[in-house]
Amino acid sequence: MKILWQKPMQLAALISESEEVDHFKRAEKMIQSHPRIEELIRTIKKKQKEVVAFESMKNEKMIARIEGELTALQQELDDIPLVSDYQESQVEINDMLQMVISVIHDTVSEKINVESGKDSPPSSCND
């Protein structure tokens, strides 16, 4: 079983050492050290909790007001170029992982007909 895991581990190492992952890590570090971004994220989380609390009280007026504040905060966050860069790098990594999954699936399917569950069964029980 150990040998079976070697190839996937090698592939994971290649992916984790890719330029896309490196770019993502750098962007993540920069975001974590950016005081305004951290403040916006904390405030957004707090406001989201407030919305949940007011939903349980069925206070539509406060929900609408806080959701408006949330929209403005989210827009301010999204307008920060570093945040856009970070989000784009997340999308690139997700796309890369989906491509790897798709290639593996398609390659394996071609070899053993995974989709149909067929693997050329014997023509009789004696085969």
Side-chain angles (χ1 to χ4, degrees):
M1 193 63 136
K2 184 178 178 181
I3 293 173
L4 181 64
W5 284 103
Q6 286 178 344
K7 293 293 183 186
M9 295 300 286
Q10 290 170 350
L11 179 58
L14 284 173
I15 291 170
S16 68
E17 295 166 2
S18 71
E19 184 178 322
E20 293 84 358
V21 171
D22 185 53
H23 181 81
F24 173 79
K25 288 177 183 178
R26 281 186 276 124
E28 184 176 43
K29 251 185 186 170
M30 291 172 71
I31 280 180
Q32 290 171 346
S33 65
H34 193 286
R36 183 61 185 150
I37 292 173
E38 288 295 304
E39 179 187 345
L40 284 167
I41 291 171
R42 277 193 307 276
T43 304
I44 288 170
K45 287 179 181 179
K46 179 183 170 203
K47 296 287 181 188
Q48 288 170 333
K49 289 178 182 177
E50 289 176 14
V51 167
V52 171
F54 283 113
E55 283 175 343
S56 69
M57 293 184 254
K58 300 192 186 319
N59 188 334
E60 297 300 322
K61 187 177 178 181
M62 286 301 292
I63 293 169
R65 191 185 107 216
I66 295 170
E67 284 179 343
E69 293 171 7
L70 271 169
T71 300
L73 290 165
Q74 187 64 52
Q75 187 60 53
E76 182 181 346
L77 185 64
D78 291 343
D79 288 344
I80 299 172
L82 182 57
V83 172
S84 299
D85 186 46
Y86 174 76
Q87 291 170 335
E88 287 173 19
S89 69
Q90 274 185 317
V91 169
E92 285 178 15
I93 290 171
N94 286 337
D95 289 348
M96 179 176 54
L97 292 173
Q98 288 301 317
M99 183 182 67
V100 168
I101 290 168
S102 179
V103 167
I104 291 170
H105 177 270
D106 292 348
T107 303
V108 171
S109 292
E110 286 175 11
K111 302 292 182 198
I112 61 171
N113 287 328
V114 170
E115 292 299 322
S116 64
K118 298 177 187 170
D119 191 20
S120 303
S123 57
S124 71
C125 291
N126 295 332
D127 286 352

